[in-house]
Amino acid sequence: MTVEDVRPDGPVAAPPESREGVPETPPTRSARIAWFDELGAQATRNRPAPDVILPAPRGVTATPGRGHVTIDWQRVDGAAGYLVHRADAPDGPWTAIDHRAGDLLAVPDPGYADTSGEPGTAAWYAVAAVAAIDGPVGPLSDAVEATPGGPGHGDAAVDLVVNAATTSGQTARPWRPIIGSEHLALLLRGAGPGGRNVGDELAEAFRIVRAELGAQSVRAHAIFHDSLGVYREVDGRPVHDFEKADAALERLLGTGLRPVIELSFMPHDLASDPDATVFDYRGIISPPRDPERWAALVTDYVRHLEERFGADEVRRWPFEVWNEPNLTVFWSGDQAAYFELYDVSVRAIKAVDPAIQVGGPATAAVGWVDDLLAHCASADVPIDFISTHTYGLAPLDLRPITARAGRPDLPLFWTEWGVSPVHGSPINDSVWGAPLVARGMHSAAGRLQSLAYWVASDHFVELGEPARLFHGGFGLLTVGNLRKPRFWAIRIFEMLGDNELAATMTGDGAGGLVEAWATRDDDGRVAIAIWNGTLDQTKADGDPLLDRTVRLAVDGLPPGSFLVRHRRIDATHSNITAHWSGGDWPDDAGWQRLAAADRLEELEPERSVTVADDGRFSLEFDLPMPSISLVEVLPRID
């Protein structure tokens, strides 16, 4: 069903009247890219939730800078996201800016840096609010004009002032609770791509993300896939066999991580259509032919897990029903069939242990969240958390959606999130992804429970075995467990202090291109991450017009001697691809060279500084786009 087929079926907030020169935007415009709505990828939606149309954002501004325009606006109550539009004339035609993320067009926050315009050419901007991604888009704001500057525009600098004496709360770390993985059957594999041992390297990848990124659990993708053999029928009678699934979970637990159990795919002998499959490993995507036998499988599995691993342990494992049922590629039924699967699954789990947490809809591109909440309320079915997915931008704000459903405190788990939804995209290995990850994690901090990067390792076989070392894989770690720039972005955030500091940033691109996260530990160490990035994937190789100078000042330090450390991710620092000469796979010597280069690199050597009675430390440095700096100021103990 395309978005043009959608009709309101419940109360709809009336949009404000059109303003002169700004036409009302059609309420059926989509917040997604074309492939989702126009190419038949969306599973049929039966629409339990009513549409909500929000008023246009107010206070829209467009500030020109070198190589970009930053658009700001006032937040709209009830908005999950916003669509930033651009036109060549004040009366349109208007087009939502496509930053080539490959997923959503909507963004969660004000402060959008448009780097896709032509320097020196004027453009008009307007913004619309979105209450839910499956619903209509609200009317456009008043239009504002700006012209992106060329090489001579301003000084291309930002000023960042951090107050080391004023904390604003604890540092939230949304990357820790969950990280993604290809299906856990790979933990039982032997030799694979590049002659590497798949199971051993995946287990080691889990140990690395546990030790260096603070990861606590792994989404146990496809636990009912036939590779683990949990279900078969003999003479028409169901047989449940959890031996291989147990072996995968035991190996996972041995890495120090816990599972998030994803109930998919459909076992062959239980599927209503065993020929409906996805990926090279043929995950079956059809509903069960017998919901009672599915319920019995889920019940037996949960009971078995508690007997095997202990009820107290299993209660710490969230259960997620299916994977991306709003895409026909992952679910051959409609939305109503998914809700039936959800109901059967959650009731089966709660019958064994009401304390186990169950949620969904685990949808692509933030779909069906309002619908599942409406369904659970009307059918009196438990839901303990919301889960969904998106790529290529910071996660949208689901709190207004859960608040409208009367569940404002419902935990929000993004169980897939990443730089790109396209396996094989070069940006998955590039430096460009590092500031995108920084922006996403920083935006998510404090407003959701988990932002799970998809995935930990390039041992990933949806489209077949990796053919070469740098193949644009989804992993934070390569085959061979080399750390990509995106890994180092999360590592830098994990190195931040426990307390956030007050900070202000001004200048060309502040808050749009360039952002910062300032922190302090109780021992006085100040750690500040500063990054320069754009959502515009056409700028993946960088753009000199977007490079910036950062003038950093840290106030409120006690007088005395300090150590300053400055680490960097950019094209020539902490970028493992810069150390690769090409070809498919390294030889033994090549692996050794890459392993020696696999580190978070310093931009400059550690040095001592003296802070005077004014309590200020200052540092000026270049920050190219894309890049991230981590500046640490540590009290010196002689």
Side-chain angles (χ1 to χ4, degrees):
M1 182 174 66
T2 67
V3 73
E4 286 74 22
D5 296 319
V6 170
R7 299 288 187 275
D9 58 0
V12 180
E17 296 179 357
S18 301
R19 287 161 299 284
E20 184 176 355
V22 182
E24 286 297 309
T25 52
T28 51
R29 274 200 346 273
S30 175
R32 296 193 179 100
I33 62 167
W35 70 262
F36 201 103
D37 287 320
E38 296 174 8
L39 303 183
Q42 184 173 3
T44 300
R45 182 180 179 221
N46 306 109
R47 300 185 54 73
D51 280 333
V52 176
I53 301 176
L54 298 174
R58 298 185 180 277
V60 178
T61 61
T63 305
R66 186 177 296 184
H68 85 292
V69 173
T70 297
I71 302 92
D72 266 303
W73 57 91
Q74 296 173 10
R75 297 177 185 272
V76 176
D77 288 343
Y82 304 87
L83 278 176
V84 182
H85 293 70
R86 190 176 65 206
D88 295 331
D91 56 353
W94 295 95
T95 303
I97 298 173
D98 186 352
H99 32 259
R100 300 294 188 265
D103 204 336
L104 292 183
L105 298 177
V107 296
D109 305 303
Y112 182 91
D114 176 26
T115 63
S116 61
E118 183 67 30
T121 300
W124 280 259
Y125 294 91
V127 183
V130 181
I133 298 305
D134 288 308
V137 176
L140 284 174
S141 69
D142 291 327
V144 292
E145 181 186 4
T147 302
H153 182 98
D155 63 357
V158 296
D159 292 283
L160 173 61
V161 180
V162 175
N163 187 340
T166 304
T167 61
S168 56
Q170 286 196 320
T171 304
R173 303 180 189 270
W175 55 89
R176 281 183 176 177
I178 307 172
I179 200 164
S181 175
E182 176 64 285
H183 61 302
L184 290 189
L186 293 184
L187 283 169
L188 309 181
R189 283 273 310 275
R196 317 295 290 187
N197 184 289
V198 176
D200 288 351
E201 285 202 347
L202 184 56
E204 179 61 20
F206 291 157
R207 284 188 282 269
I208 290 171
V209 297
R210 171 66 175 155
E212 299 182 28
L213 306 184
Q216 298 166 349
S217 63
V218 169
R219 186 178 184 227
H221 185 43
I223 200 71
F224 284 171
H225 185 268
D226 282 320
S227 59
L228 291 176
V230 299
Y231 182 95
R232 66 183 185 277
E233 294 186 2
V234 178
D235 297 328
R237 294 190 301 274
V239 176
H240 301 165
D241 183 350
F242 304 128
E243 182 178 0
K244 288 184 178 180
D246 285 348
L249 289 180
E250 285 169 350
R251 189 159 203 194
L252 171 64
L253 292 167
T255 69
L257 297 176
R258 291 186 165 91
V260 175
I261 302 293
E262 177 206 290
L263 297 177
S264 79
F265 289 98
M266 192 60 59
H268 178 278
D269 289 358
L270 187 52
S272 58
D273 182 3
D275 294 326
T277 65
V278 65
F279 299 137
D280 280 24
Y281 56 72
R282 295 182 62 80
I284 298 174
I285 62 172
S286 70
R289 60 177 175 78
D290 186 337
E292 291 185 3
R293 290 194 174 188
W294 170 268
L297 172 62
V298 173
T299 298
D300 196 20
Y301 185 54
V302 174
R303 184 179 294 116
H304 168 82
L305 289 176
E306 292 203 342
E307 291 171 354
R308 178 84 177 223
F309 300 102
D312 289 343
E313 174 64 25
V314 175
R315 287 169 185 160
R316 302 179 70 175
W317 305 356
F319 281 65
E320 186 180 33
V321 181
W322 211 253
N323 175 72
E324 301 191 350
N326 61 329
L327 296 184
T328 56
V329 70
F330 287 113
W331 180 245
S332 65
D334 61 6
Q335 187 185 63
Y338 170 71
F339 290 158
E340 181 181 3
L341 184 83
Y342 179 86
D343 295 353
V344 167
S345 302
V346 69
R347 285 171 173 149
I349 293 168
K350 297 291 188 178
V352 176
D353 190 340
I356 292 177
Q357 304 295 290
V358 190
T363 39
V366 207
W368 295 3
V369 172
D370 51 344
D371 288 338
L372 180 60
L373 288 167
H375 167 77
C376 288
S378 64
D380 194 24
V381 178
I383 183 167
D384 299 311
F385 62 86
I386 286 293
S387 65
T388 191
H389 308 158
T390 194
Y391 289 85
L393 73 166
L396 301 189
D397 192 351
L398 301 185
R399 293 172 299 180
I401 300 176
T402 59
R404 283 195 298 271
R407 302 291 303 275
D409 297 325
L410 201 63
L412 305 175
F413 296 162
W414 293 71
T415 50
E416 282 189 32
W417 178 78
V419 166
S420 172
V422 180
H423 193 264
S425 173
I427 64 169
N428 288 324
D429 296 331
S430 75
V431 174
W432 181 89
L436 186 282
V437 169
R439 181 176 187 128
M441 291 295 180
H442 184 245
S443 172
R447 65 178 176 88
L448 51 88
Q449 279 63 43
S450 173
L451 187 57
Y453 200 89
W454 187 259
V455 288
S457 168
D458 267 353
H459 282 298
F460 194 88
V461 295
E462 286 183 353
L463 303 180
E465 301 279 7
R468 62 193 63 85
L469 178 59
F470 293 110
H471 60 279
F474 285 142
L476 294 170
L477 297 159
T478 69
V479 172
N481 285 333
L482 302 167
R483 295 153 181 83
K484 299 183 187 180
R486 292 173 289 121
F487 177 97
W488 290 125
I490 303 177
R491 175 58 182 162
I492 280 178
F493 277 11
E494 182 65 11
M495 295 169 68
L496 293 175
D498 290 334
N499 304 293
E500 290 195 21
L501 295 176
T504 58
M505 182 182 289
T506 56
D508 187 354
L513 281 177
V514 182
E515 297 180 287
W517 200 350
T519 64
R520 189 190 71 193
D521 280 323
D522 290 341
D523 64 3
R525 182 185 74 108
V526 173
I528 307 163
I530 310 104
W531 57 95
N532 183 357
T534 171
L535 297 179
D536 178 8
Q537 295 195 14
T538 68
K539 300 293 192 296
D541 294 329
D543 182 346
L545 289 178
L546 303 179
D547 296 345
R548 292 296 182 264
T549 297
V550 174
R551 297 186 287 251
L552 169 65
V554 182
D555 291 332
L557 294 169
S561 182
F562 289 80
L563 291 176
V564 177
R565 297 173 182 158
H566 190 172
R567 295 179 174 90
R568 168 63 66 81
I569 307 167
D570 62 23
T572 58
H573 297 86
S574 313
N575 178 16
I576 196 65
T577 62
H579 300 274
W580 176 236
S581 57
D584 290 340
W585 297 102
D587 56 17
D588 289 344
W591 281 114
Q592 292 176 9
R593 287 193 298 272
L594 289 168
D598 185 24
R599 64 186 187 278
L600 182 59
E601 297 184 71
E602 294 181 335
L603 182 65
E604 56 180 323
E606 179 182 288
R607 59 189 175 91
S608 295
V609 299
T610 299
V611 172
D613 291 341
D614 64 1
R616 167 166 283 208
F617 163 75
S618 298
L619 179 67
E620 184 172 316
F621 55 91
D622 292 332
L623 190 69
M625 197 298 292
S627 67
I628 306 178
S629 273
L630 174 65
V631 177
E632 295 175 277
V633 184
L634 306 90
R636 183 161 185 167
I637 302 175
D638 295 319

